[in-house]
Amino acid sequence: MKYPRQLSAGANNAVIALSETEVGKLFTGDTRSDIGSEAEKMKFANSVNDLVARFVRLDYNEALQAEMLVMERIRPIDYRAYEIERRELWYDVFADELAQLHQAGFVHRDLKRPSDLDGLAFDNILLTEQGLRLIDVGISALRTQVGDRIFEKYLEIEREELATFRDYFLNR
């Protein structure tokens, strides 16, 4: 379904522009994801560093009959317009901040989109004026939610995806 001021749509949710500074991820019907859980994971990541899009509030849109996860509006820029040296610096900062999140007990779990889903491989990593940022924490996990063993498995996969992203980001 298309919505007014729609910016993007994933497998289960659409994101609409609310203002120049905010977007809303819409939750309608059974979206197979929990708005409260996603908000908590986003707030947790925000308490560690600024890598994940900033949580603003939970809200309800009467006109669309949708619950909304309201977050900062991120305006991506094309990294291919910048020199490899600058991209290497952005990547290094990104990898350090991701490691901080891992150390704190947060794993994103969706750096690289599965090949059977629409979109580009690394749609959830955006280059902004502030550097690389992460969006969409829908399937992310907290160590406290899944335990050490599952969390470590998720980390192993995410580190592999990070290495693949490095090649993609620097060599494209």
Side-chain angles (χ1 to χ4, degrees):
M1 173 179 214
K2 285 200 124 177
Y3 294 96
R5 304 191 67 193
Q6 184 170 326
L7 296 170
S8 66
N12 300 308
N13 308 85
V15 175
I16 62 170
L18 299 175
S19 70
E20 289 298 311
T21 60
E22 295 180 347
V23 298
K25 182 174 183 178
L26 303 178
F27 288 74
T28 58
D30 180 14
T31 64
R32 297 182 43 191
S33 57
D34 174 27
I35 191 172
S37 176
E38 189 164 343
E40 288 307 310
K41 292 181 284 188
M42 184 177 273
K43 287 190 275 188
F44 179 88
N46 292 163
S47 74
V48 175
N49 60 34
D50 292 326
L51 187 59
V52 171
R54 178 90 23 219
F55 171 83
V56 176
R57 68 183 178 282
L58 295 176
D59 207 342
Y60 188 79
N61 186 307
E62 291 288 342
L64 300 176
Q65 297 291 293
E67 297 169 354
M68 290 189 311
L69 174 65
V70 179
M71 60 197 118
E72 73 175 300
R73 185 170 183 173
I74 293 178
R75 297 180 185 275
I77 53 179
D78 191 341
Y79 64 88
R80 294 172 294 180
Y82 294 92
E83 300 82 1
I84 298 292
E85 296 84 2
R86 184 175 284 187
R87 287 190 245 167
E88 287 173 335
L89 177 62
W90 283 326
Y91 173 82
D92 289 346
V93 170
F94 176 77
D96 287 347
E97 290 180 338
L98 189 61
Q100 290 171 5
L101 289 173
H102 292 162
Q103 184 67 29
F106 174 94
V107 62
H108 187 271
R109 296 195 58 223
D110 201 14
L111 297 183
K112 186 173 187 304
R113 190 173 299 281
S115 60
D116 62 337
L117 292 181
D118 291 340
L120 298 175
F122 295 100
D123 271 355
N124 291 330
I125 304 172
L126 302 176
L127 178 61
T128 72
E129 295 284 333
Q130 294 77 38
L132 290 166
R133 303 285 304 282
L134 278 174
I135 60 170
D136 195 358
V137 298
I139 67 167
S140 63
L142 300 177
R143 183 185 302 270
T144 56
Q145 293 175 326
V146 298
D148 290 337
R149 189 170 182 168
I150 292 173
F151 187 81
E152 290 301 323
K153 182 64 179 166
Y154 291 160
L155 275 183
E156 180 182 326
I157 294 166
E158 187 150 294
R159 288 180 182 126
E160 291 170 9
E161 291 178 353
L162 182 62
T164 303
F165 173 69
R166 183 184 188 284
D167 291 338
Y168 174 89
F169 185 65
L170 298 180
N171 299 312
R172 188 154 181 230

